[in-house]
Amino acid sequence: MELFRNFIDAIFGSILAMDAVGILKMLVMWAIGGILIFLAIKKEMEPSLLMPMGFGAILVNLPFSGAITQVIDGVTEEGPLSVLFDAGIANELFPLILFIGIGAMIDFGPLLKNPKLLLFGAAAQFGIFITILLAAVIGELVPGTFSLQDAAAIGIIGAADGPTAIFVANYFGTKYMGAILVAAYSYMALVPIIQPPCIKLVTTKKERKMRMPYEAGEVKKSVRILFPIVVTVIAGMVAPRSVGLVGFLMFGNLIRECGVLNSLSETAQNTLANLITIFLGITVAVKMQADQFLTWETLLIMGLGLFAFVFDTIGGVMFAKLINLFSKNKVNPMIGACGISAFPMSSRVVHKMGLAEDPQNFLLMHAAGVNVGGQIASVIAGGLILNLVAK
């Protein structure tokens, strides 16, 4: 009988030690983790990140979870996820390494054929800065909510760039990192749902039908090699704090384009990127502990993130329409929406919308050019925020 009581106490003692509110919060976080896993597996929405994040959310919200560092009976017991967080995210290492893999995956050819597409990528960062102002105003009106640093980290959700969001949020040490990352990666996965109505809201059927001729021809190898070097130098001069982000991204692309490091390029695109993604996804769950995550600020962050995402999309489209007022060669305004960093989902969405309006309207290469331009612009925007906002 004594053995049975000890067995029951070992299993349920940790739960019985919690109050009703703590148990409810734990169950809610389990549900959130389950939803993320469901979306990843059933709906195939960013599965490489949402699935580890969902499982991690459950892992860190188990009673007295050994996955995270805790003080038990006056003794500090280190948890593996906390150790990984300190080793790879607290010092921004994982996001930077992941950028090498992302850079190796990107083909800047469509952008190099039409460099002005980079302007659309810059314009599509409009929502980031509007959201920062809005979050800062909320912080002033409601004391104890968002500091200016928190607002800066929240605004970067609009870039639809997970590694940049992690880098910026961690740099400012915001306590809302878990909510910011869930919002960033969730909205990236929801690009096919969020962007079409936003684009249709600010375009006409005639505009969506506009065709854009594609200029055939190859970009010289020397140009492909010089591009990442030049971008790194310019970005370093404009926004010095962005050098880490831009430099690692461009280094990955240089490995791809140099032509003599094919094995390293393949490793960066596959093995390295996949390994870091696994660690990154499950490790960020350290910031999804119930006491930190289940606050009304989390809901507000989700709303602000959506606001940033929507206005980035609309800002890119409206900039394309503005360009058409002064340009002889008109562009389909929809490609401006691809200026966010959700590559290649956003360019595919715009391409499908063009085909839906006109089966002969092929926008993929133009949209892809804007999309990779948005990848560069979002990283530089992150660097600018680090420069403009004091730590």
Side-chain angles (χ1 to χ4, degrees):
M1 193 67 180
E2 182 69 23
L3 181 63
F4 178 73
R5 281 198 298 267
N6 291 338
F7 178 72
I8 294 297
D9 184 64
I11 296 177
F12 298 106
S14 58
I15 295 178
L16 294 175
M18 301 171 64
D19 58 20
V21 174
I23 293 174
L24 180 60
K25 286 183 175 181
M26 178 186 71
L27 294 176
V28 170
M29 290 307 301
W30 288 2
I32 291 173
I35 290 171
L36 293 177
I37 293 173
F38 172 80
L39 293 175
I41 297 175
K42 185 68 176 179
K43 302 298 183 180
E44 297 186 7
M45 299 170 66
E46 289 291 325
S48 61
L49 281 161
L50 291 191
M51 201 281 284
M53 286 174 64
F55 187 78
I58 296 173
L59 199 60
V60 302
N61 285 288
L62 290 168
F64 302 106
S65 172
I68 54 178
T69 299
Q70 298 191 55
V71 179
I72 301 177
D73 297 330
V75 179
T76 300
E77 297 184 2
E78 290 191 339
L81 289 189
S82 296
V83 172
L84 273 174
F85 185 91
D86 292 337
I89 295 182
N91 56 11
E92 293 99 22
L93 184 62
F94 285 170
L96 289 175
I97 294 177
L98 184 57
F99 264 114
I100 296 177
I102 294 173
M105 296 177 195
I106 295 177
D107 177 10
F108 287 111
L111 176 64
L112 293 173
K113 288 182 180 179
N114 192 359
K116 73 177 182 181
L117 296 179
L118 184 61
L119 296 175
F120 298 109
Q125 312 308 312
F126 172 76
I128 294 175
F129 297 96
I130 293 297
T131 304
I132 291 174
L133 292 175
L134 180 58
V137 169
I138 293 174
E140 288 293 324
L141 296 177
V142 186
T145 52
F146 305 136
S147 65
L148 181 58
Q149 291 75 19
D150 293 330
I154 292 167
I156 205 66
I157 295 172
D161 187 341
T164 301
I166 294 172
F167 189 94
V168 173
N170 187 70
Y171 177 84
F172 288 123
T174 176
K175 62 182 179 181
Y176 303 115
M177 178 182 282
I180 289 169
L181 297 187
V182 170
Y185 282 113
S186 297
Y187 292 141
M188 283 172 63
L190 292 172
V191 163
I193 297 174
I194 297 174
Q195 282 206 308
C198 295
I199 294 171
K200 288 182 179 180
L201 182 66
V202 291
T203 58
T204 64
K205 191 175 184 68
K206 182 179 179 181
E207 287 174 329
R208 295 193 294 273
K209 282 186 172 183
M210 289 176 61
R211 297 185 182 183
M212 295 178 64
Y214 181 70
E215 298 179 4
E218 290 293 325
V219 179
K220 292 181 179 180
K221 184 176 179 179
S222 58
V223 174
R224 288 180 175 272
I225 292 174
L226 286 173
F227 179 74
I229 299 173
V230 172
V231 168
T232 302
V233 172
I234 293 176
M237 295 176 68
V238 174
R241 291 272 174 82
S242 72
V243 168
L245 292 167
V246 176
F248 276 61
L249 180 72
M250 292 297 117
F251 175 64
N253 188 250
L254 184 59
I255 291 175
R256 171 196 177 99
E257 300 296 352
C258 70
V260 295
L261 295 173
N262 291 334
S263 61
L264 291 185
S265 177
E266 291 174 5
T267 299
Q269 293 180 49
N270 299 293
T271 306
L272 179 65
N274 291 335
L275 182 62
I276 294 299
T277 298
I278 291 173
F279 285 144
L280 196 63
I282 196 168
T283 304
V284 295
V286 168
K287 294 297 183 179
M288 293 179 69
Q289 296 173 54
D291 291 339
Q292 301 175 22
F293 194 86
L294 293 180
T295 62
W296 75 271
E297 288 95 339
T298 295
L299 293 176
L300 191 54
I301 288 169
M302 297 297 288
L304 288 168
L306 180 60
F307 177 87
F309 203 92
V310 167
F311 273 85
D312 271 355
T313 298
I314 291 175
V317 174
M318 296 306 293
F319 180 77
K321 295 178 74 168
L322 177 64
I323 290 294
N324 280 345
L325 294 177
F326 306 98
S327 176
K328 181 179 179 181
N329 299 319
K330 309 297 183 183
V331 300
N332 188 310
M334 291 196 298
I335 69 170
C338 300
I340 63 171
S341 186
F343 178 83
M345 296 87 78
S346 185
S347 51
R348 289 174 181 168
V349 166
V350 167
H351 177 61
K352 288 180 180 178
M353 290 182 69
L355 290 176
E357 300 290 349
D358 176 1
Q360 299 301 315
N361 192 9
F362 299 100
L363 298 173
L364 184 59
M365 296 307 293
H366 302 289
V370 175
N371 216 173
V372 296
Q375 182 77 63
I376 298 173
S378 67
V379 174
I380 294 177
L384 284 172
I385 290 172
L386 298 183
N387 275 355
L388 294 172
V389 179
K391 189 173 181 179

